[in-house]
Amino acid sequence: MGTDAAVTELMTAKGHEQVVFVADARSGLRAVIAVHSTALGPSLGGIRFWRYPSEHDAVVDALRLSEAMSLKAAAAGLHQGGGKAVVLVDDPDALRTDALLRAMGRAIDDLGGRYIAAEDVGATPHDMQVIASETPWVTGLEGPGGSGDPSPMTAYGVVRAMGAVLEELDGDAAFAGKRVVVDGVGHVGTHLARLLAEADARVAVADVNRERVDVLVQEIGAEPLPVEGALEEACDILAPCALGGVLNEKTIPRLQCRAVCGAANNQLAEASDDDALAERGILYAPDFVVNAGGIINLAEEFVGYDRDNARKRTARIADTVRRVFDLARTEHVPPGRAAEQLARRRIAEAGAGRRFRPGDPAAWTHGAPLRSLRPA
Ligand code: NAD
């Protein structure tokens, strides 16, 4: 089916529960909230402020991203579903009025917790605070009860995932002497490089922002790499931590790594690139399993945020990666597809047609009782 199909057709194709169109004439707000699944719990996902060529493009993006959130939450073993909100703006970097943000907050509030918001591309901490002034259904805020910046936890999860990758490659999770290339040393990549250096890996880093590379050269003795060619370095693990789509028909034939395991979202340009990596004998740890530390950290807010508990749950990413590799072996599929199977199976096991309903206390006990986010 083409993406120009009717919205309800697109929803049916991927099993979306609900799409809400939001407009507020006074503030100029135009937004789409997509709830893919609440079978495992309330849907959780970021708010993206983006300039879309058309409203239909915004809907297609919200549908795609909300489904991806369902799979990420399910694979991570969370009692959350997948949702996403997109706000149509002319300039994602321009300041937004409080009136527009408040109207968005009210629209989220109307869903009674079926969609729980977090920060995403284009959103600022200030935006999220203003939205949160209208609704309790917002996660990831700074301050008491909030989990704050997720990137250190995301990096920690990536390291644990890499441990499982090394076990699969060499039967031993030790990093000593292993060469890891971190491509993109922003929020997650910088934390990741530090953790790898602490574990005695040989760390090489690349970034279009040279200052970020220099900091790591000084601080941990990382080897600096030019951006062009970083993906093609011979190494044990390549960790894409910048943009999506880096594993594609052009790059895959040139890779010289034994495995790929990084934080970037949507690393595979096409689903078939999963097969292409397997054919080259490169072990791919699926991105949405590897980078789940951020969402695991957010979900911890639902039971009263505790950093140590969030770390313990994030460490289990290594178990999930092992299960994915096992399933890939037994089902003779590449790891990306195995991870998707694992996630879809968990959603299906929660019960066909199971829905989170606002105010239904039983729904909350399905996971753990909500605390910090329960409306007063
Ligand atoms: P970030 O913007 O802080 O860092 C990205 C870095 O990549 C920047 O330093 C940027 O200069 C660099 N970069 C951009 N283009 C590049 C290129 N062509 N080659 C090399 N470097 C390049 O973002 P982040 O929060 O660190 O997230 C990194 C990736 O991980 C993103 O794909 C994000 O969606 C994903 N992710 C992040 C989190 C999180 O907790 N922050 C959680 C899950 C997934």
Side-chain angles (χ1 to χ4, degrees):
M1 185 188 310
T3 51
D4 56 346
V7 175
T8 46
E9 279 182 296
L10 294 171
M11 289 172 69
T12 308
K14 298 287 185 180
H16 288 79
E17 288 177 18
Q18 187 179 19
V19 173
V20 178
F21 288 84
V22 182
D24 178 67
R26 276 193 301 181
S27 65
L29 172 69
R30 293 171 63 214
V32 179
I33 303 173
V35 175
H36 175 256
S37 167
T38 60
L40 291 167
S43 76
L44 177 61
I47 304 184
R48 178 166 290 196
F49 290 83
W50 200 247
R51 184 191 168 100
Y52 288 99
S54 74
E55 178 179 285
H56 195 74
D57 288 301
V59 173
V60 168
D61 207 29
L63 291 173
R64 179 178 67 85
L65 294 166
S66 60
E67 186 195 14
M69 288 305 293
S70 287
L71 297 179
K72 187 183 280 204
L78 298 173
H79 297 282
Q80 307 297 148
K84 200 84 184 183
V86 299
V87 180
L88 293 85
V89 291
D90 289 334
D91 177 3
D93 295 326
L95 274 185
R96 284 166 283 268
T97 63
D98 281 11
L100 181 142
L101 295 165
R102 281 177 174 275
M104 188 63 195
R106 288 193 295 276
I108 292 167
D109 203 53
D110 286 345
L111 284 163
R114 281 182 51 74
Y115 167 66
I116 298 175
E119 203 176 307
D120 194 53
V121 177
T124 66
H126 173 76
D127 292 338
M128 300 312 291
Q129 291 289 355
V130 179
I131 290 169
S133 66
E134 294 284 348
T135 179
W137 307 114
V138 179
T139 48
L141 299 173
E142 301 286 346
S147 57
D149 177 9
S151 42
M153 201 62 78
T154 303
Y156 176 64
V158 176
V159 171
R160 299 307 297 242
M162 285 180 177
V165 164
L166 290 174
E167 269 172 22
E168 180 78 11
L169 289 175
D170 301 327
D172 183 352
F175 281 89
K178 304 290 180 193
R179 183 164 199 252
V180 183
V181 170
V182 183
D183 187 36
V185 282
H187 287 95
V188 180
T190 294
H191 288 292
L192 176 62
R194 285 186 187 132
L195 292 173
L196 289 168
E198 278 168 25
D200 282 339
R202 292 188 292 134
V203 186
V205 297
D207 197 297
V208 287
N209 182 326
R210 185 66 208 194
E211 279 171 33
R212 293 185 184 151
V213 170
D214 290 343
V215 167
L216 289 166
V217 171
Q218 292 290 324
E219 195 187 306
I220 61 164
E223 177 194 345
L225 294 173
V227 170
E228 317 73 43
L231 291 173
E232 297 163 28
E233 282 288 314
C235 58
D236 294 286
I237 303 178
L238 169 68
C241 292
L243 311 171
V246 290
L247 305 173
N248 55 49
E249 61 178 7
K250 284 208 180 96
T251 58
I252 291 173
R254 302 206 303 258
L255 297 179
Q256 293 192 65
C257 54
R258 301 169 69 207
V260 177
C261 179
N265 277 312
N266 307 316
Q267 290 169 30
L268 303 173
E270 305 285 341
S272 60
D273 292 324
D274 201 6
D275 300 277
L277 285 166
E279 278 158 24
R280 283 222 44 214
I282 296 170
L283 184 64
Y284 171 61
D287 49 13
F288 69 91
V289 173
V290 170
N291 69 18
I295 187 180
I296 293 171
N297 200 47
L298 279 181
E300 197 59 31
E301 288 186 18
F302 295 93
V303 286
Y305 186 71
D306 179 294
R307 194 154 197 84
D308 289 340
N309 285 338
R311 260 176 85 85
K312 279 185 202 140
R313 286 184 217 265
T314 300
R316 291 184 204 147
I317 287 176
D319 301 327
T320 312
V321 171
R322 280 185 213 108
R323 281 170 58 209
V324 166
F325 291 154
D326 287 346
L327 188 65
R329 236 189 316 275
T330 52
E331 300 277 320
H332 306 290
V333 292
R337 216 163 309 143
E340 202 173 313
Q341 270 184 29
L342 205 79
R344 289 196 195 281
R345 225 178 261 175
R346 197 170 161 245
I347 295 169
E349 280 164 9
R354 191 193 165 97
R355 298 274 190 278
F356 166 71
R357 289 176 205 293
D360 172 4
W364 297 118
T365 56
H366 177 54
L370 273 194
R371 226 171 63 187
S372 57
L373 295 174
R374 177 168 275 169

